Amino acid sequence: MNAIVELSDAHVVHKARSGGLFTRDRVYALTGADLSVAPGETVGVVGESGCGKSTLAKVLVGVVRPTSGTVSFQGRDLWSMPAAERRAAVGGSTGMIFQDPSTALNRRLPVRQILRDPLDVHDRGTKQQREDRVRELMSLVGLPRALADALPGQLSGGQRQRVAIARALALDPGLVVADEPTSALDVSVRAQILNLLLDLKERLGLALVFVSHDIQTVRRMSDRVITMYLGRIVEESPAAEVTERARHPYTRALFSATPGLLHPIDPIPLTGPVPSATRPPSGCPFRTRCWKADERCAADMPDFSVASSADHRFRCHHPVQEDESTRDLVRQSHPTEPS
Ligand SMILES: Nc1ncnc2c1ncn2[C@@H]1O[C@H](COP(=O)(O)OP(=O)(O)OP(=O)(O)O)[C@@H](O)[C@H]1O
Ligand code: SF4
Ligand SMILES: [Mg+2]
């Protein structure tokens, strides 16, 4: 099936002021990303803070233009389209939900207007049809009609995020990208918002890209899980294989450090310096913290290898074996443990 959106060798390099007045560092926020999202699938994105998850999300929805590489929407190169065409392509095919609904919504506009806005901008339907669509969107996300004239400040955090979801759905996109959609919410409403997203995905046949620090939730919600490290996609795994059969040492370490395993274990310890996105190390970016690193890892960035299932790819010179348990890796990786 044709991908809704496809990235090919996408790089994002920021110039950030640092130190002296006239020096500008390059920040390698996204490096060589290849990713394709098919209709109806859920792709989860995991990795520690600053690894480029939000950058990837924004590139996928056409909010950030990659410094190099291509973004294709239904096979057409997004950034070579004329601006008006690009806006129409982006608006009609993708919606984005941001982390913090209190800053993502215009606080001066009532809910009704927030939801009408994309319909007005993209000139969808008659006035009456737009009014109807606003009502339909509110009911789709479980917002009572009485809230149509409320301002964002008068809503609860959960209600605000429902408005943000409704707005993302306004133009009936095939893909919704949710960047930490629940992290600003009370724990008690997180599950409701996640369930709403899953329910909408099923009912509307949406593809969903889901970014979260809560990696067990990512695993449960996704078909595929993408692991990022220092701006790079280092593994792409079926969600069912990611906890115990991931091949990249970093993916195993990430998933070992979260509760939710059937038999909880000590996490795989990661020692060594955390590299900066302004000065990525040579070779494999994870080598400064990886217990398996050797000279080859310092010299060459590994290419993608394919695991036994074809939709499972990883970039590592010395991958974890499929039958190696994370418990064994915990033992291997303890540098000071007496044998
Ligand atoms: N506009 C910008 N200018 C300079 N650097 C930026 C900019 N946006 C992001 N960065 C840097 O790019 C890198 C990737 O940032 P990004 O926000 O994509 O990470 P993230 O994985 O979403 O992090 P978090 O989990 O904290 O949200 C970081 O080093 C960040 O500091
Ligand atoms: S390539 Fe080397 S340093 Fe990188 S993850 Fe694999 S073993 Fe570790
Ligand atoms: Mg982010």
Side-chain angles (χ1 to χ4, degrees):
M1 212 181 308
N2 259 350
I4 299 188
V5 53
E6 190 162 13
L7 305 187
S8 173
D9 197 25
H11 296 248
V12 173
V13 183
H14 295 292
K15 293 205 177 69
R17 210 178 292 273
S18 68
L21 200 54
F22 301 106
T23 55
R24 277 179 168 240
D25 270 336
R26 286 164 181 271
V27 183
Y28 297 89
L30 188 67
T31 304
D34 293 314
L35 179 64
S36 156
V37 182
E41 72 168 335
T42 301
V43 179
V45 182
V46 300
E48 61 204 355
S49 189
C51 70
K53 303 182 296 296
S54 297
T55 305
L56 178 77
K58 289 177 196 156
V59 169
L60 279 172
V61 295
V63 172
V64 162
R65 180 181 190 162
T67 326
S68 65
T70 56
V71 185
S72 305
F73 273 39
Q74 265 125 11
R76 294 175 59 225
D77 182 351
L78 189 68
W79 291 97
S80 66
M81 293 178 196
E85 210 176 305
R86 181 171 61 248
R87 274 194 295 276
V90 167
S93 3
T94 68
M96 178 139 181
I97 302 163
F98 296 91
Q99 173 169 357
D100 188 352
S102 51
T103 54
L105 303 176
N106 186 333
R107 62 180 77 196
R108 281 190 291 262
L109 296 182
V111 171
R112 178 198 305 282
Q113 195 54 46
I114 291 172
L115 299 183
R116 263 196 67 142
D117 208 40
L119 303 169
D120 290 341
V121 168
H122 289 271
D123 207 15
R124 290 286 170 95
T126 61
K127 194 160 178 282
Q128 184 58 48
Q129 283 167 331
R130 291 178 202 176
E131 291 297 327
D132 293 347
R133 179 66 177 153
V134 168
R135 266 197 295 282
E136 187 182 38
L137 286 166
M138 288 186 69
S139 101
L140 201 57
V141 299
L143 281 170
R145 263 211 223 166
L147 292 179
D149 293 311
L151 294 170
Q154 296 167 315
L155 305 178
S156 69
Q159 287 169 336
R160 277 198 291 267
Q161 201 57 310
R162 285 175 196 266
V163 175
I165 294 170
R167 186 183 56 178
L169 296 174
L171 298 169
D172 210 8
L175 167 69
V176 166
V177 175
D179 188 5
E180 311 262 10
T182 60
S183 57
L185 301 178
D186 286 344
V187 175
S188 59
V189 293
R190 283 184 191 172
Q192 293 171 19
I193 295 296
L194 289 176
N195 286 332
L196 172 66
L197 276 175
L198 283 179
D199 178 50
L200 289 168
K201 178 195 138 62
E202 288 304 318
R203 279 161 63 193
L204 306 174
L206 295 171
L208 186 64
V209 172
F210 183 73
V211 176
S212 174
H213 277 110
D214 179 356
I215 62 177
Q216 294 300 341
T217 299
V218 172
R219 180 184 58 79
R220 278 196 299 274
M221 286 186 56
S222 306
D223 303 310
R224 256 188 317 148
V225 176
I226 304 288
T227 310
M228 294 188 70
Y229 190 82
L230 207 68
R232 293 209 182 244
I233 293 175
V234 296
E235 185 156 23
E236 197 179 323
S237 159
E241 296 186 5
V242 76
T243 305
E244 273 294 330
R245 304 189 73 182
R247 306 295 304 276
H248 199 284
Y250 178 62
T251 309
R252 287 288 190 108
L254 261 185
F255 279 86
S256 76
T258 57
L261 296 177
L262 213 49
H263 307 289
I265 53 171
D266 289 332
I268 296 173
L270 294 182
T271 51
V274 179
S276 128
T278 47
R279 283 177 200 78
S282 64
C284 170
F286 187 50
R287 71 176 170 84
T288 60
R289 297 161 80 193
C290 181
W291 68 98
K292 287 166 164 271
D294 64 8
E295 305 78 44
R296 189 172 168 213
C297 307
D300 301 318
M301 175 67 203
D303 283 332
F304 267 109
S305 309
V306 178
S308 55
S309 50
D311 47 356
H312 186 171
R313 308 185 306 145
F314 55 89
R315 291 185 96 150
C316 176
H317 292 305
H318 311 293
V320 175
Q321 297 309 306
E322 254 173 30
D323 56 359
E324 260 179 303
S325 74
T326 301
R327 197 176 288 273
D328 290 340
L329 300 181
V330 174
R331 248 174 259 134
Q332 260 181 46
S333 57
H334 266 284
T336 52
E337 198 111 312
S339 49

Coordinates of all heavy atoms in Angstrom, one line a residue, residues 110-191:
P110 N -13.0 30.9 21.6 CA -13.8 29.8 22.1 C -13.6 28.5 21.3 O -13.2 28.6 20.2 CB -15.2 30.4 21.9 CG -15.2 31.3 20.8 CD -13.8 31.9 20.9
V111 N -14.0 27.4 22.0 CA -13.8 26.1 21.4 C -14.4 26.1 19.9 O -13.7 25.6 19.0 CB -14.5 25.0 22.2 CG1 -14.5 23.7 21.5 CG2 -13.8 24.9 23.6
R112 N -15.6 26.6 19.8 CA -16.2 26.6 18.4 C -15.3 27.2 17.4 O -15.1 26.6 16.3 CB -17.5 27.4 18.6 CG -18.3 27.6 17.3 CD -19.3 28.8 17.5 NE -20.1 28.7 18.7 CZ -21.2 28.0 18.7 NH1 -21.6 27.2 17.8 NH2 -22.0 28.0 19.8
Q113 N -14.6 28.3 17.7 CA -13.8 29.0 16.7 C -12.5 28.2 16.5 O -12.0 28.2 15.4 CB -13.6 30.4 17.2 CG -13.0 31.3 16.1 CD -13.9 31.4 14.9 OE1 -15.1 31.5 15.0 NE2 -13.3 31.2 13.7
I114 N -11.9 27.7 17.6 CA -10.7 26.9 17.4 C -10.9 25.7 16.4 O -10.1 25.5 15.6 CB -10.3 26.3 18.8 CG1 -9.8 27.5 19.7 CG2 -9.2 25.3 18.6 CD1 -9.5 27.0 21.1
L115 N -12.1 25.1 16.5 CA -12.4 24.0 15.6 C -12.8 24.4 14.2 O -12.5 23.7 13.3 CB -13.5 23.1 16.2 CG -13.1 22.5 17.6 CD1 -14.3 21.6 18.1 CD2 -11.8 21.7 17.5
R116 N -13.3 25.6 14.1 CA -13.7 26.1 12.8 C -12.5 26.6 12.0 O -12.5 26.6 10.8 CB -14.7 27.3 12.9 CG -16.1 26.9 12.8 CD -16.9 28.2 12.6 NE -16.6 28.8 11.3 CZ -17.5 29.3 10.6 NH1 -18.7 29.3 10.9 NH2 -17.1 29.9 9.4
D117 N -11.5 27.0 12.7 CA -10.4 27.7 12.1 C -9.8 26.9 10.9 O -9.6 27.4 9.9 CB -9.3 28.0 13.2 CG -8.5 29.2 12.9 OD1 -9.0 30.1 12.4 OD2 -7.2 29.1 13.1
P118 N -9.4 25.6 11.2 CA -8.8 24.9 10.0 C -9.8 24.8 8.8 O -9.4 24.8 7.7 CB -8.5 23.5 10.6 CG -9.0 23.5 12.0 CD -9.4 24.8 12.4
L119 N -11.1 24.7 9.1 CA -12.1 24.6 8.1 C -12.2 25.9 7.3 O -12.3 25.9 6.0 CB -13.5 24.3 8.6 CG -13.6 23.0 9.5 CD1 -14.9 23.0 10.3 CD2 -13.4 21.8 8.6
D120 N -12.0 27.0 8.0 CA -12.0 28.4 7.4 C -10.8 28.5 6.5 O -10.8 28.9 5.4 CB -12.1 29.5 8.4 CG -13.5 29.5 9.1 OD1 -14.4 29.0 8.5 OD2 -13.5 30.1 10.2
V121 N -9.6 28.2 7.1 CA -8.4 28.4 6.4 C -8.3 27.6 5.1 O -7.8 28.1 4.1 CB -7.2 28.0 7.4 CG1 -5.9 28.0 6.6 CG2 -7.0 29.0 8.5
H122 N -8.8 26.4 5.2 CA -8.8 25.5 4.0 C -10.1 25.6 3.2 O -10.3 24.8 2.3 CB -8.4 24.1 4.4 CG -7.0 24.0 4.8 ND1 -6.0 23.7 4.0 CD2 -6.4 24.1 6.1 CE1 -4.9 23.6 4.6 NE2 -5.1 23.9 5.9
D123 N -11.0 26.5 3.6 CA -12.1 26.8 2.8 C -13.0 25.6 2.5 O -13.3 25.3 1.4 CB -11.7 27.4 1.4 CG -12.7 28.3 0.9 OD1 -13.7 28.7 1.6 OD2 -12.7 28.6 -0.3
R124 N -13.3 24.9 3.6 CA -14.1 23.6 3.5 C -15.6 23.9 3.7 O -16.0 24.4 4.7 CB -13.6 22.6 4.6 CG -12.3 22.0 4.4 CD -12.3 21.0 3.2 NE -10.9 20.6 2.9 CZ -10.3 19.5 3.4 NH1 -11.0 18.7 4.3 NH2 -9.1 19.2 3.1
G125 N -16.3 23.5 2.7 CA -17.8 23.5 2.8 C -18.4 24.9 3.0 O -17.7 25.9 2.9
T126 N -19.8 24.9 3.1 CA -20.5 26.2 3.3 C -20.4 26.5 4.8 O -19.9 25.7 5.6 CB -22.0 26.0 3.0 OG1 -22.5 25.0 3.8 CG2 -22.1 25.6 1.5
K127 N -20.9 27.7 5.1 CA -20.9 28.2 6.6 C -21.7 27.1 7.4 O -21.2 26.7 8.5 CB -21.6 29.5 6.6 CG -21.4 30.3 7.9 CD -21.7 31.8 7.7 CE -21.6 32.5 9.0 NZ -22.7 32.4 9.9
Q128 N -22.8 26.7 6.9 CA -23.6 25.7 7.6 C -22.9 24.4 7.8 O -22.9 23.8 8.9 CB -25.0 25.5 6.9 CG -25.9 24.6 7.7 CD -26.3 25.2 9.1 OE1 -26.5 26.3 9.2 NE2 -26.1 24.3 10.1
Q129 N -22.2 24.0 6.8 CA -21.5 22.7 6.8 C -20.4 22.8 7.9 O -20.1 21.8 8.6 CB -21.0 22.3 5.5 CG -22.0 21.8 4.5 CD -21.6 21.7 3.1 OE1 -20.7 22.5 2.6 NE2 -22.1 20.7 2.4
R130 N -19.8 24.0 7.9 CA -18.7 24.1 8.9 C -19.2 24.1 10.3 O -18.7 23.4 11.2 CB -17.9 25.4 8.7 CG -17.1 25.4 7.4 CD -16.4 26.7 7.2 NE -16.1 26.8 5.7 CZ -15.6 27.9 5.2 NH1 -15.3 29.0 5.9 NH2 -15.4 27.9 3.9
E131 N -20.4 24.7 10.6 CA -21.0 24.7 11.9 C -21.3 23.2 12.2 O -21.1 22.8 13.4 CB -22.3 25.5 11.9 CG -22.1 27.0 11.8 CD -21.4 27.6 13.0 OE1 -21.5 27.0 14.1 OE2 -20.6 28.5 12.8
D132 N -21.9 22.5 11.3 CA -22.2 21.1 11.5 C -21.0 20.3 11.8 O -21.0 19.4 12.7 CB -22.9 20.5 10.3 CG -24.3 21.1 10.0 OD1 -24.8 21.8 10.9 OD2 -24.8 20.9 8.9
R133 N -19.9 20.5 11.1 CA -18.7 19.8 11.3 C -18.1 20.1 12.7 O -17.6 19.2 13.4 CB -17.6 20.2 10.2 CG -16.3 19.5 10.3 CD -16.4 18.0 10.1 NE -15.0 17.4 10.1 CZ -14.8 16.2 10.5 NH1 -15.8 15.4 10.8 NH2 -13.6 15.7 10.5
V134 N -18.2 21.3 13.2 CA -17.7 21.6 14.5 C -18.5 20.8 15.6 O -17.9 20.2 16.5 CB -17.9 23.1 14.8 CG1 -17.7 23.4 16.3 CG2 -16.9 23.9 14.0
R135 N -19.8 20.7 15.4 CA -20.6 19.9 16.3 C -20.3 18.4 16.2 O -20.1 17.8 17.3 CB -22.1 20.1 16.0 CG -22.8 21.2 16.8 CD -24.3 21.0 16.8 NE -24.8 21.2 15.4 CZ -25.0 22.5 14.9 NH1 -24.7 23.5 15.6 NH2 -25.4 22.6 13.7
E136 N -20.0 18.0 15.0 CA -19.7 16.6 14.8 C -18.3 16.3 15.5 O -18.2 15.2 16.2 CB -19.6 16.3 13.3 CG -19.4 14.9 12.9 CD -19.3 14.8 11.4 OE1 -18.6 15.7 10.7 OE2 -19.8 13.8 10.8
L137 N -17.4 17.2 15.3 CA -16.0 17.0 15.9 C -16.1 16.9 17.5 O -15.5 16.1 18.1 CB -15.1 18.1 15.5 CG -14.6 18.1 14.1 CD1 -13.9 19.4 13.7 CD2 -13.6 16.9 13.9
M138 N -17.0 17.8 18.0 CA -17.1 17.9 19.5 C -17.6 16.5 20.0 O -17.2 16.0 21.0 CB -18.0 19.0 19.9 CG -17.2 20.4 19.8 SD -18.1 21.8 20.4 CE -18.0 21.5 22.2
S139 N -18.6 16.0 19.3 CA -19.2 14.8 19.8 C -18.2 13.6 19.5 O -18.1 12.7 20.3 CB -20.6 14.5 19.1 OG -20.5 13.6 18.1
L140 N -17.5 13.7 18.5 CA -16.5 12.6 18.2 C -15.5 12.5 19.3 O -15.0 11.4 19.7 CB -15.7 13.0 16.9 CG -15.0 12.0 16.1 CD1 -15.9 10.9 15.6 CD2 -14.4 12.7 14.8
V141 N -15.1 13.6 19.9 CA -14.1 13.5 21.0 C -14.7 13.6 22.4 O -14.0 13.7 23.4 CB -13.0 14.6 20.9 CG1 -12.3 14.5 19.6 CG2 -13.6 16.0 21.0
G142 N -16.0 13.5 22.5 CA -16.7 13.4 23.8 C -16.7 14.7 24.5 O -16.7 14.8 25.7
L143 N -16.9 15.9 23.8 CA -17.0 17.2 24.4 C -18.5 17.6 24.4 O -19.1 17.6 23.4 CB -16.2 18.2 23.7 CG -14.7 18.3 23.9 CD1 -14.1 19.3 22.9 CD2 -14.4 18.7 25.3
P144 N -19.0 17.9 25.6 CA -20.4 18.3 25.6 C -20.6 19.6 24.8 O -19.8 20.5 24.8 CB -20.7 18.6 27.1 CG -19.5 18.3 27.9 CD -18.4 17.8 26.9
R145 N -21.8 19.7 24.2 CA -22.1 20.8 23.3 C -22.0 22.1 24.0 O -21.7 23.2 23.5 CB -23.5 20.7 22.7 CG -23.4 20.1 21.3 CD -24.5 20.6 20.5 NE -25.0 19.5 19.8 CZ -26.2 19.5 19.2 NH1 -27.0 20.6 19.3 NH2 -26.6 18.5 18.5
A146 N -22.4 22.1 25.3 CA -22.4 23.3 26.1 C -21.1 24.0 26.2 O -21.0 25.1 26.5 CB -22.9 22.9 27.5
L147 N -20.0 23.2 25.8 CA -18.7 23.8 25.9 C -18.3 24.6 24.7 O -17.2 25.2 24.6 CB -17.6 22.8 26.2 CG -17.7 22.1 27.6 CD1 -16.6 21.1 27.8 CD2 -17.6 23.2 28.7
A148 N -19.1 24.6 23.7 CA -18.8 25.3 22.4 C -18.3 26.7 22.6 O -17.5 27.2 21.8 CB -19.9 25.2 21.4
D149 N -18.9 27.4 23.5 CA -18.5 28.8 23.7 C -17.5 29.1 24.8 O -17.2 30.2 25.1 CB -19.8 29.7 23.9 CG -20.7 29.6 22.7 OD1 -20.1 29.9 21.6 OD2 -21.9 29.3 22.8
A150 N -17.0 28.0 25.4 CA -16.0 28.1 26.5 C -14.7 28.5 25.9 O -14.3 28.1 24.8 CB -16.0 26.8 27.3
L151 N -13.9 29.2 26.7 CA -12.5 29.5 26.3 C -11.6 28.4 26.9 O -12.0 27.8 27.9 CB -12.1 30.8 26.9 CG -12.8 32.1 26.4 CD1 -12.5 33.3 27.2 CD2 -12.4 32.3 24.9
P152 N -10.4 28.2 26.3 CA -9.6 27.1 26.8 C -9.3 27.2 28.3 O -9.3 26.2 29.0 CB -8.3 27.3 26.0 CG -8.7 27.9 24.7 CD -9.9 28.8 25.0
G153 N -9.2 28.4 28.8 CA -8.9 28.6 30.2 C -10.0 28.1 31.1 O -9.8 27.9 32.3
Q154 N -11.2 27.9 30.5 CA -12.3 27.5 31.4 C -12.5 26.0 31.3 O -13.4 25.4 32.0 CB -13.6 28.1 30.9 CG -13.6 29.7 31.0 CD -14.7 30.3 30.2 OE1 -15.0 30.0 29.1 NE2 -15.4 31.3 30.9
L155 N -11.6 25.3 30.6 CA -11.7 23.8 30.5 C -10.7 23.1 31.4 O -9.7 23.7 31.7 CB -11.4 23.4 29.0 CG -12.3 24.1 27.9 CD1 -11.8 23.6 26.6 CD2 -13.7 23.8 28.2
S156 N -10.9 21.9 31.7 CA -9.9 21.1 32.4 C -8.8 20.7 31.4 O -9.0 20.8 30.2 CB -10.6 19.8 32.9 OG -11.0 18.9 31.9
G157 N -7.7 20.2 31.9 CA -6.6 19.7 31.0 C -7.1 18.7 30.0 O -6.7 18.7 28.9
G158 N -7.9 17.7 30.5 CA -8.4 16.6 29.6 C -9.3 17.2 28.5 O -9.2 16.8 27.4
Q159 N -10.1 18.1 28.9 CA -11.0 18.7 27.9 C -10.2 19.5 26.9 O -10.5 19.5 25.7 CB -12.1 19.6 28.6 CG -13.1 18.9 29.4 CD -14.0 19.8 30.2 OE1 -13.5 20.9 30.6 NE2 -15.2 19.4 30.5
R160 N -9.2 20.2 27.3 CA -8.4 21.0 26.4 C -7.7 20.0 25.4 O -7.6 20.3 24.2 CB -7.3 21.8 27.1 CG -7.8 23.1 27.6 CD -6.7 24.0 28.0 NE -5.9 23.6 29.1 CZ -6.1 24.0 30.4 NH1 -7.1 24.8 30.6 NH2 -5.4 23.5 31.4
Q161 N -7.2 18.9 25.9 CA -6.6 18.0 25.0 C -7.6 17.4 24.0 O -7.3 17.1 22.9 CB -5.8 16.9 25.8 CG -4.7 16.2 25.0 CD -3.7 17.1 24.4 OE1 -4.0 18.1 23.7 NE2 -2.4 16.8 24.6
R162 N -8.9 17.2 24.5 CA -9.9 16.8 23.5 C -10.1 17.8 22.4 O -10.4 17.4 21.3 CB -11.2 16.5 24.3 CG -11.2 15.2 25.1 CD -12.5 15.0 25.9 NE -12.2 14.0 27.0 CZ -12.5 12.7 26.8 NH1 -13.1 12.3 25.7 NH2 -12.3 11.9 27.8
V163 N -10.1 19.1 22.8 CA -10.2 20.1 21.8 C -9.1 20.0 20.8 O -9.3 20.1 19.6 CB -10.3 21.5 22.4 CG1 -10.3 22.6 21.3 CG2 -11.4 21.7 23.4
A164 N -7.9 19.8 21.3 CA -6.7 19.7 20.4 C -6.8 18.5 19.5 O -6.5 18.6 18.3 CB -5.4 19.6 21.3
I165 N -7.3 17.4 20.0 CA -7.5 16.2 19.2 C -8.6 16.5 18.1 O -8.4 16.2 16.9 CB -7.9 15.0 20.0 CG1 -6.7 14.6 20.9 CG2 -8.3 13.8 19.1 CD1 -7.1 13.6 22.0
A166 N -9.7 17.1 18.5 CA -10.8 17.5 17.5 C -10.2 18.4 16.4 O -10.5 18.2 15.3 CB -11.9 18.1 18.3
R167 N -9.4 19.3 16.8 CA -8.8 20.3 15.9 C -7.9 19.5 14.9 O -7.9 19.8 13.7 CB -8.0 21.4 16.5 CG -7.6 22.4 15.5 CD -6.7 23.5 16.2 NE -5.6 22.9 16.8 CZ -4.6 23.6 17.5 NH1 -4.7 24.9 17.5 NH2 -3.6 23.0 18.0
A168 N -7.1 18.6 15.4 CA -6.2 17.8 14.5 C -7.1 17.0 13.5 O -6.6 16.7 12.4 CB -5.4 16.9 15.4
L169 N -8.3 16.6 13.9 CA -9.1 15.8 13.0 C -10.0 16.6 12.1 O -10.7 16.0 11.2 CB -10.0 14.9 13.9 CG -9.3 13.8 14.8 CD1 -10.3 13.1 15.7 CD2 -8.6 12.8 13.9
A170 N -10.0 17.9 12.2 CA -11.0 18.7 11.6 C -11.1 18.5 10.1 O -12.1 18.4 9.5 CB -10.7 20.2 11.8
L171 N -9.9 18.3 9.4 CA -9.9 18.2 8.0 C -9.8 16.7 7.5 O -9.5 16.4 6.4 CB -8.7 19.0 7.4 CG -8.7 20.5 7.7 CD1 -7.4 21.1 7.3 CD2 -9.9 21.2 6.9
D172 N -10.2 15.8 8.5 CA -10.2 14.4 8.1 C -8.9 13.9 7.6 O -8.9 13.3 6.5 CB -11.4 14.3 7.1 CG -12.0 12.9 7.2 OD1 -11.7 12.2 8.2 OD2 -12.8 12.6 6.3
P173 N -7.8 14.0 8.4 CA -6.5 13.6 7.9 C -6.4 12.0 7.9 O -7.1 11.4 8.6 CB -5.6 14.2 8.9 CG -6.4 14.2 10.2 CD -7.8 14.5 9.8
G174 N -5.5 11.5 7.1 CA -5.2 10.1 7.2 C -4.2 9.7 8.3 O -4.0 8.6 8.7
L175 N -3.4 10.8 8.7 CA -2.4 10.6 9.7 C -2.5 11.6 10.8 O -2.6 12.8 10.5 CB -1.0 10.7 9.0 CG 0.2 10.8 10.0 CD1 0.5 9.5 10.7 CD2 1.5 11.2 9.2
V176 N -2.4 11.1 12.1 CA -2.3 12.0 13.2 C -1.0 11.7 13.9 O -0.7 10.6 14.2 CB -3.5 11.9 14.1 CG1 -3.3 12.5 15.5 CG2 -4.8 12.4 13.5
V177 N -0.3 12.8 14.2 CA 1.0 12.7 14.9 C 0.8 13.3 16.3 O 0.4 14.4 16.4 CB 2.1 13.4 14.2 CG1 3.4 13.3 15.1 CG2 2.4 12.7 12.9
A178 N 0.9 12.4 17.4 CA 0.7 12.9 18.7 C 2.0 12.9 19.5 O 2.6 11.9 19.7 CB -0.3 12.0 19.4
D179 N 2.5 14.1 19.8 CA 3.8 14.3 20.5 C 3.5 14.4 22.0 O 3.1 15.5 22.4 CB 4.5 15.5 19.9 CG 6.0 15.6 20.4 OD1 6.4 14.7 21.2 OD2 6.6 16.6 20.1
E180 N 3.8 13.4 22.7 CA 3.6 13.4 24.2 C 2.2 13.9 24.5 O 2.0 14.9 25.3 CB 4.6 14.3 24.9 CG 6.0 14.1 24.5 CD 6.8 13.2 25.5 OE1 6.1 12.7 26.4 OE2 8.0 13.1 25.3
P181 N 1.1 13.3 24.0 CA -0.2 13.9 24.2 C -0.7 13.9 25.6 O -1.7 14.5 25.9 CB -1.1 13.1 23.2 CG -0.4 11.7 23.2 CD 1.1 12.1 23.2
T182 N -0.1 13.1 26.5 CA -0.7 13.0 27.8 C 0.2 13.4 28.9 O -0.1 13.4 30.1 CB -1.1 11.5 28.1 OG1 0.1 10.7 28.0 CG2 -2.2 11.0 27.1
S183 N 1.5 13.8 28.6 CA 2.4 14.1 29.6 C 2.1 15.3 30.5 O 2.5 15.4 31.6 CB 3.9 14.1 29.1 OG 3.9 15.1 28.1
A184 N 1.3 16.2 29.9 CA 1.0 17.4 30.8 C -0.3 17.2 31.6 O -0.8 18.1 32.2 CB 0.8 18.6 29.9
L185 N -0.9 16.0 31.5 CA -2.2 15.7 32.1 C -2.1 15.0 33.4 O -1.1 14.3 33.6 CB -3.1 14.9 31.1 CG -3.3 15.5 29.8 CD1 -4.2 14.5 28.9 CD2 -4.1 16.8 29.9
D186 N -3.1 15.1 34.3 CA -3.1 14.3 35.5 C -3.2 12.9 35.1 O -3.8 12.5 34.1 CB -4.4 14.6 36.3 CG -4.3 16.0 36.9 OD1 -3.2 16.5 37.0 OD2 -5.4 16.5 37.3
V187 N -2.5 12.1 36.0 CA -2.5 10.6 35.7 C -3.9 10.1 35.5 O -4.1 9.2 34.6 CB -1.8 9.9 36.9 CG1 -1.8 8.4 36.7 CG2 -0.3 10.4 37.0
S188 N -4.8 10.6 36.3 CA -6.2 10.1 36.2 C -6.9 10.2 34.8 O -7.7 9.5 34.5 CB -7.1 10.7 37.3 OG -7.1 12.1 37.1
V189 N -6.5 11.3 34.1 CA -7.1 11.4 32.8 C -6.3 10.9 31.6 O -6.8 10.9 30.5 CB -7.5 12.9 32.5 CG1 -8.6 13.4 33.4 CG2 -6.3 13.8 32.6
R190 N -5.1 10.5 31.9 CA -4.2 10.1 30.8 C -4.8 8.9 30.1 O -4.9 8.9 28.8 CB -2.8 9.6 31.3 CG -2.0 10.8 31.6 CD -0.6 10.4 32.1 NE 0.1 11.5 32.6 CZ 1.2 11.5 33.2 NH1 1.9 10.4 33.4 NH2 1.8 12.6 33.6
A191 N -5.3 7.9 30.8 CA -5.9 6.7 30.2 C -7.1 7.0 29.3 O -7.2 6.5 28.2 CB -6.2 5.7 31.2

